[in-house]
Amino acid sequence: MSTEDRVDATMKNLEGKAQEMVGEVTGDPEDKAEGKMKQAKAEAQHSVEDAKDKVKKAID
């Protein structure tokens, strides 16, 4: 996984966590759901990049 992709996914995850917390504090279910969605996208991005790394290691 490239460092840039890892940083991007991590930032999306942190942004999602923050947005989810804001939604909880303000009682806004839309913010909370959007924050969870961002976290899920970040997790998926990490999974894809991890799979790419495994394939690359297998080839090398």
Side-chain angles (χ1 to χ4, degrees), residues 1 44-58:
M1 177 185 234
Q45 186 175 355
H46 275 293
S47 296
V48 166
E49 294 302 324
D50 288 344
K52 287 180 186 178
D53 284 348
K54 286 180 183 179
V55 169
K56 184 179 176 187
K57 284 182 182 180

Side-chain angles (χ1 to χ4, degrees), residues 1-59:
M1 177 185 234
S2 76
T3 303
E4 185 177 306
D5 291 335
R6 183 172 297 282
V7 169
D8 183 48
T10 301
M11 291 304 295
K12 278 184 187 175
N13 188 39
L14 291 173
E15 182 182 335
K17 286 182 181 190
Q19 188 169 8
E20 181 182 4
M21 285 195 314
V22 167
E24 283 187 34
V25 170
T26 62
D28 186 349
E30 194 173 304
D31 259 347
K32 190 174 176 181
E34 195 171 316
K36 285 185 178 190
M37 183 177 66
K38 286 180 184 179
Q39 291 175 65
K41 284 182 181 180
E43 187 176 322
Q45 186 175 355
H46 275 293
S47 296
V48 166
E49 294 302 324
D50 288 344
K52 287 180 186 178
D53 284 348
K54 286 180 183 179
V55 169
K56 184 179 176 187
K57 284 182 182 180
I59 293 172

